[in-house]
Amino acid sequence: MNVRIVEVGPRDGLQNVQATVPTEVKVAYVNALSKAGLQEIEVSSFVSPRWVPQLADAEQVFTLIDRVPGVRYSALVPNEKGLERAVACRVDKIAVFTAASETFSHKNVNASIEDTIVRLRPVVASSPVPVRGYVSTAFYCPYEGKIEPDRVLAVCDRLVEIGCSEISIGDTIGRAVPEDVDRLLERLLSRFAASIVAMHFHDTFGNAILNVRRSFEAGIRIFDGSTGGVGGCPFAPGAKGNVATEALVAEFGSDSGVNLDRIEQAAAVITPYV
Ligand code: HMG
Ligand code: MG
């Protein structure tokens, strides 16, 4: 299996929906995704329910899903309180998150980039499960505009230094074009092995699959996708959903190990609610 698709729909997809999605629908969505051949599903977030009320039922979702052996069930964690909640739910992996833009970092987690690293260091050090580190606004910030690769590299260095075993590079507002991807990956992959780098493209302007293709050519084999293309970030105005998992499966075919019919069945569970 050459390509790993990380399904982030239940987390990134559902954190930004206006409607209230019933817990049992989220559970049915994750259960449907579990049958599709995915290796990893980001199920929810253990963030503040005041900040992201859409995912306040993370505990219930984790309790009610049927876990399929071989599938890693992960969740977003912003601080030590989040780690405690995640561990109590027996997550297989956590994802911590920071940004390459100071303004976005403040809007998203009420802290500077440096303060997020300080806050995350003990989380990563004491996590009993592997940790992914997200870098948001790695290409463009909705508040600061274009972000230079040096800033992204500096944040990746810190995430790896505190113990993240994977980094996911977020085009949070979906503005990157393939030339931006080339510029960043040329620098990033001279520093880090492609095997620890995931790309997380949102698809606001329809360039996500082109960016995926360019990343693949550069050596990346881990891609985040959202079934049905649902999603966005509540703290990034205008951000649309992630590249659709369907598009990734169509792009990589059997190399992804994911079954398109099953993904479409999962999409049918969630799309009436988003
Ligand atoms: P804060 O208000 O600065 O923190 O929020 P605080 O420590 O002062 O806590 C405030 C209240 O929240 C307290 O409750 C805490 O107990 C509670 P009170 O005493 O007022 O009743 N609290 C928590 N409750 C449950 N679980 C927790 C937790 N932590 C504190 N873990 C904080 C700081 C980081 C908590 C907040 O800003 C937050 O939760 N932010 C989350 C934002 C978020 O989820 N954004 C979307 C995900 S990132 C994303 O989408 C980008 C990504 O997809 C990649 C890309 O596309 O670029 C990953
Ligand atoms: Mg995202």
Side-chain angles (χ1 to χ4, degrees), residues 97-131:
F97 52 107
T98 183
S101 143
E102 285 293 349
T103 315
F104 181 80
S105 183
H106 280 280
K107 300 263 186 200
N108 198 36
V109 289
N110 201 21
S112 68
I113 298 169
E114 185 53 34
D115 285 347
T116 63
I117 299 293
V118 170
R119 189 188 273 176
L120 294 174
R121 186 184 291 276
V123 173
V124 181
S126 59
S127 173
V129 292
V131 185

Side-chain angles (χ1 to χ4, degrees), residues 8 11-12 15 42 45-52 55 76-83 85 96-98 104 106-111 119 134-138 168-173 200-202 224 232-235 242:
V8 298
R11 192 279 303 171
D12 205 333
Q15 72 183 9
E42 208 169 69
S45 286
F46 294 99
V47 297
S48 162
R50 284 216 217 140
W51 282 65
V52 184
L55 301 182
L76 234 60
V77 163
N79 52 20
E80 290 187 274
K81 182 163 187 169
L83 179 66
R85 294 174 60 202
V96 298
F97 52 107
T98 183
F104 181 80
H106 280 280
K107 300 263 186 200
N108 198 36
V109 289
N110 201 21
R119 189 188 273 176
Y134 277 107
V135 185
S136 285
T137 55
S168 180
I169 305 298
D171 180 20
T172 314
I173 55 171
H200 179 103
F201 290 112
H202 284 263
D224 298 352
C233 177
F235 309 101
N242 297 87

Side-chain angles (χ1 to χ4, degrees), residues 5-273:
I5 297 176
V6 177
E7 171 64 48
V8 298
R11 192 279 303 171
D12 205 333
L14 299 188
Q15 72 183 9
N16 200 33
V17 291
Q18 298 302 315
T20 304
V21 180
T23 302
E24 58 270 23
V25 173
K26 295 177 181 175
V27 170
Y29 178 35
V30 174
N31 286 346
L33 290 168
S34 293
K35 295 179 188 144
L38 292 156
Q39 296 175 49
E40 193 168 325
I41 303 173
E42 208 169 69
V43 173
S44 192
S45 286
F46 294 99
V47 297
S48 162
R50 284 216 217 140
W51 282 65
V52 184
Q54 293 90 335
L55 301 182
D57 58 355
E59 273 85 359
Q60 289 97 304
V61 175
F62 266 97
T63 306
L64 293 169
I65 54 173
D66 298 322
R67 299 191 195 209
V68 171
V71 180
R72 272 188 301 277
Y73 297 93
S74 67
L76 234 60
V77 163
N79 52 20
E80 290 187 274
K81 182 163 187 169
L83 179 66
E84 270 173 40
R85 294 174 60 202
V87 170
C89 286
R90 297 184 298 108
V91 299
D92 299 310
K93 181 171 175 177
I94 63 164
V96 298
F97 52 107
T98 183
S101 143
E102 285 293 349
T103 315
F104 181 80
S105 183
H106 280 280
K107 300 263 186 200
N108 198 36
V109 289
N110 201 21
S112 68
I113 298 169
E114 185 53 34
D115 285 347
T116 63
I117 299 293
V118 170
R119 189 188 273 176
L120 294 174
R121 186 184 291 276
V123 173
V124 181
S126 59
S127 173
V129 292
V131 185
R132 152 183 277 213
Y134 277 107
V135 185
S136 285
T137 55
F139 298 96
Y140 293 88
C141 169
Y143 310 101
E144 293 185 19
K146 197 166 174 53
I147 301 291
E148 287 303 318
D150 278 349
R151 295 171 68 182
V152 182
L153 255 69
V155 178
C156 291
D157 277 342
R158 302 301 304 281
L159 287 172
V160 169
E161 180 238 319
I162 67 171
C164 293
S165 55
E166 182 177 282
I167 42 183
S168 180
I169 305 298
D171 180 20
T172 314
I173 55 171
R175 272 200 59 188
V177 295
E179 290 68 33
D180 296 319
V181 174
D182 282 342
R183 276 186 75 221
L184 179 57
L185 286 183
E186 198 185 317
R187 300 285 313 282
L188 206 62
L189 296 180
S190 65
R191 185 97 121 238
F192 304 104
S195 57
I196 72 156
V197 180
M199 298 304 284
H200 179 103
F201 290 112
H202 284 263
D203 201 19
T204 315
F205 299 105
N207 289 319
I209 202 70
L210 300 177
N211 293 335
V212 164
R213 211 167 281 159
R214 193 60 69 89
S215 306
F216 181 85
E217 286 162 11
I220 300 290
R221 293 294 178 270
I222 313 170
F223 296 99
D224 298 352
S226 170
T227 287
V230 294
C233 177
F235 309 101
K240 293 283 192 309
N242 297 87
V243 63
T245 304
E246 292 89 323
L248 292 175
V249 178
E251 179 75 16
F252 297 116
S254 57
D255 281 353
S256 68
V258 179
N259 181 303
L260 188 55
D261 291 341
R262 297 279 181 139
I263 288 292
E264 284 171 353
Q265 286 165 20
V269 173
I270 201 63
T271 41
Y273 292 88

